[in-house]
Amino acid sequence: MNTADLGLPVDVPSTALFTDHYELTMLQAALKAGTADRRSVFECFTRRLPEGRRYGVVAGTGRVLDAVENFRFDAGVLDFLRERNVVNEETLEWLAAYRFSGDVWGYPEGEVYFPGSPIMRVEGSFAECVLLETVILSILNHDSAIAAAASRMASAAGDRPLIEMGARRTHELAAVAASRAAYVGGFATTSDLAAGFRYGIPTVGTSAHAFTLLHDNERDAFQAQVDSLGRNTTLLVDTYDVTEAVRTAVEVAGPELGAVRIDSGDLLLVAHRVRQQLDELGAVNTKIIVTSDLDEYAIASLAAAPVDAYGVGTQLVTGSGHPTCSMVYKLVARAESADPKAPLVPVAKKSSGGKTSIGGRKWAARRLDGDGIAEAEVIGTGAVPAELADRQLLVELVKGGEVVAREPLDVVRDRHAVARGNLPLSATQLSRGEAVIPTEYVHLRSGSQDRSADRDRTDR
């Protein structure tokens, strides 16, 4: 059962306190100044990809939609804010009635992104949009980092399935989110039952070294497992001596043994030896699963090994060295007054050190070459050029405060596989490099394009 499209509640009664103190003090000041109701546009983007990454993966969108729906200031939350004197009574009264009533547009979950891509655009009053900054960034930064690592691992694994096994290496709730993001990025299963229950991800697992150590000898442990789970189970063969364990495993389960798992040692060498031994014992269909602190580089190094599946934990749930995408949430346009008809004015922060933003409500499109392969991420303001009209990336996620784009997780996972497949082949290289396609900014003036002056490659 896939429950991702059911809108199940998040793991806490309210997401309203998944925010920073200053979001509420800004709200209080804006209410007093009379600027809180100004129509505003915020955009979520990253200025650069993590070092060495060739593309990013949008993940966590479905969780953002859940979080926005559950962003409610109930009595307990309001009492906490009152006791801590975070904001005044007028602001608390406003918060008590808070319901996001604006619009959200974004890249569909599973899509790839590049520096400057307006991954999510939030529109509404300043007051209702500014409160969502921290929770949106928290979800997208975490989930997109995990999904990007998972995607690289899936590319390295090729047709061999990947098992997510990282629950014990991170926070218990982060583990569930990580499992979801890994599934988006291409993993096939998870060991985390909470992720299976929450998102319908297939779960797998058999036994650990503790089960073998519990018994008087390895044969007794294998026999107990086969008696309980059947001959198609996976036996862990590196508790003592791998060669002896493989022999015992086949003697106990017969040539119908489903798989053996190797969790230590020189995996390349051991996998070859185990494959040869299994074949000699007649267990030609028994699969080999390897674990042991794998990352995308280790997986790639095993491409020529007789391995049938990989189990990945620590490196996956920590983003394989990049646990965040450094996404930011910036005000890019706001109305001149609270009048609903007041025009939007582009705004942007100007600073040194690579933190400059580009103002204006943006669109994004991906230009393809003659073979349908991506060649540029094009971002602009104003009218969309006719040649890019059918290549726009942002879709409507929330309309008038109502979620309109919740979808099953399998659809998201399939979307990512297609998006990754439409990138240049060099996107799958694990060697360090820049984004696989450039980002081009096209600013339109009076309906015409000034490409010579306004097309810029993002600084890397």
Side-chain angles (χ1 to χ4, degrees):
M1 178 181 68
N2 193 318
T3 60
D5 57 338
L6 301 182
L8 296 179
V10 292
D11 298 297
V12 292
S14 167
T15 55
L17 292 183
F18 289 171
T19 191
D20 287 303
H21 188 118
Y22 77 170
E23 310 290 7
L24 299 189
T25 54
M26 281 194 290
L27 168 65
Q28 177 176 306
L31 288 170
K32 182 175 178 60
T35 53
D37 289 333
R38 287 188 176 184
R39 189 160 56 101
S40 300
V41 179
F42 286 82
E43 289 177 352
C44 182
F45 62 94
T46 184
R47 296 184 176 94
R48 60 190 62 83
L49 297 176
E51 184 180 358
R53 296 291 163 90
R54 316 303 294 274
Y55 62 93
V57 180
V58 179
T61 306
R63 295 208 308 120
V64 167
L65 300 180
D66 289 344
V68 171
E69 284 189 330
N70 286 276
F71 205 90
R72 303 284 187 268
F73 291 84
D74 57 27
V77 170
L78 293 170
D79 287 343
F80 165 78
L81 297 175
R82 182 177 291 109
E83 292 167 4
R84 297 295 181 94
N85 197 30
V86 175
V87 289
N88 60 25
E89 283 298 325
E90 290 79 9
T91 305
L92 290 173
E93 182 178 350
W94 188 94
L95 291 173
Y98 179 87
R99 300 290 186 274
F100 180 73
S101 63
D103 302 327
V104 179
W105 290 72
Y107 280 37
E109 189 167 14
E111 184 57 84
V112 296
Y113 71 86
F114 298 92
S117 297
I119 296 163
M120 185 168 287
R121 188 175 72 218
V122 183
E123 304 183 31
S125 71
F126 175 84
E128 63 181 338
C129 294
V130 74
L131 294 181
L132 299 176
E133 174 180 5
T134 303
V135 70
I136 288 176
L137 288 178
S138 175
I139 293 172
L140 292 183
N141 267 315
H142 174 269
D143 289 24
S144 296
I146 305 305
S151 180
R152 285 162 59 86
M153 293 174 188
S155 292
D159 294 331
R160 298 171 179 177
L162 291 158
I163 308 164
E164 186 277 311
M165 305 171 63
R168 64 191 62 192
R169 303 301 190 201
T170 188
H171 185 279
E172 66 272 16
L173 298 184
V176 181
S179 181
R180 181 186 184 282
Y183 192 69
V184 170
F187 274 59
T189 55
T190 180
S191 66
D192 191 337
L193 289 176
F197 175 78
R198 175 70 178 84
Y199 296 114
I201 302 170
T203 60
V204 295
T206 51
S207 67
H209 293 103
F211 186 76
T212 300
L213 297 170
L214 169 68
H215 294 81
D216 294 336
N217 55 64
E218 204 164 39
R219 180 179 294 274
D220 288 350
F222 289 172
Q223 189 66 61
Q225 185 173 326
V226 170
D227 289 346
S228 175
L229 302 178
R231 297 177 184 273
N232 196 44
T233 190
T234 299
L235 296 176
L236 181 58
V237 295
D238 72 327
T239 305
Y240 304 118
D241 179 83
V242 173
T243 301
E244 182 61 30
V246 171
R247 181 181 301 110
T248 302
V250 176
E251 288 175 357
V252 170
E256 299 85 8
L257 174 63
V260 296
R261 178 163 74 95
I262 306 167
D263 188 50
S264 60
D266 184 336
L267 296 179
L268 179 62
L269 176 62
V270 175
H272 278 287
R273 288 178 175 174
V274 168
R275 182 73 270 162
Q276 180 179 353
Q277 185 181 8
L278 287 170
D279 291 346
E280 290 173 350
L281 294 172
V284 295
N285 294 318
T286 298
K287 299 183 182 302
I288 297 175
I289 300 171
V290 295
T291 53
S292 187
D293 209 24
L294 300 176
D295 62 9
E296 60 264 49
Y297 301 101
I299 291 169
S301 73
L302 293 168
V307 171
D308 297 285
Y310 306 93
V312 188
T314 303
Q315 293 301 318
L316 175 67
V317 299
T318 57
S320 194
H322 297 290
T324 181
C325 301
S326 298
M327 293 181 190
V328 295
Y329 182 93
K330 297 297 182 183
L331 180 66
V332 296
R334 53 86 175 167
E336 294 179 327
S337 70
D339 185 344
K341 297 181 180 179
L344 288 173
V345 178
V347 295
K349 171 185 177 181
K350 294 183 179 180
S351 66
S352 59
K355 297 186 72 172
T356 299
S357 300
I358 299 175
R361 183 178 184 271
K362 301 173 194 68
W363 51 261
R366 189 162 299 144
R367 193 172 66 243
L368 307 180
D369 65 15
D371 296 318
I373 301 301
E375 64 178 13
E377 192 87 338
V378 186
I379 299 168
T381 57
V384 180
E387 67 270 22
L388 295 174
D390 62 348
R391 298 301 310 166
Q392 294 188 71
L393 291 163
L394 277 76
V395 299
E396 195 167 29
L397 302 172
V398 177
K399 183 177 183 179
E402 298 295 326
V403 174
V404 296
R406 189 172 275 115
E407 55 190 354
L409 198 56
D410 284 331
V411 171
V412 175
R413 186 172 185 267
D414 292 344
R415 177 182 294 124
H416 175 63
V418 172
R420 187 178 63 203
N422 288 337
L423 294 177
L425 188 60
S426 57
T428 62
Q429 293 178 344
L430 297 181
S431 57
R432 294 186 180 277
E434 297 182 353
V436 71
I437 62 173
T439 300
E440 297 177 358
Y441 292 101
V442 179
H443 305 296
L444 303 180
R445 299 191 183 97
S446 302
S448 64
Q449 298 180 57
D450 183 356
R451 291 183 179 272
S452 61
D454 296 317
R455 177 185 292 179
D456 301 303
R457 194 178 179 108
T458 57
D459 56 22
R460 306 289 184 222

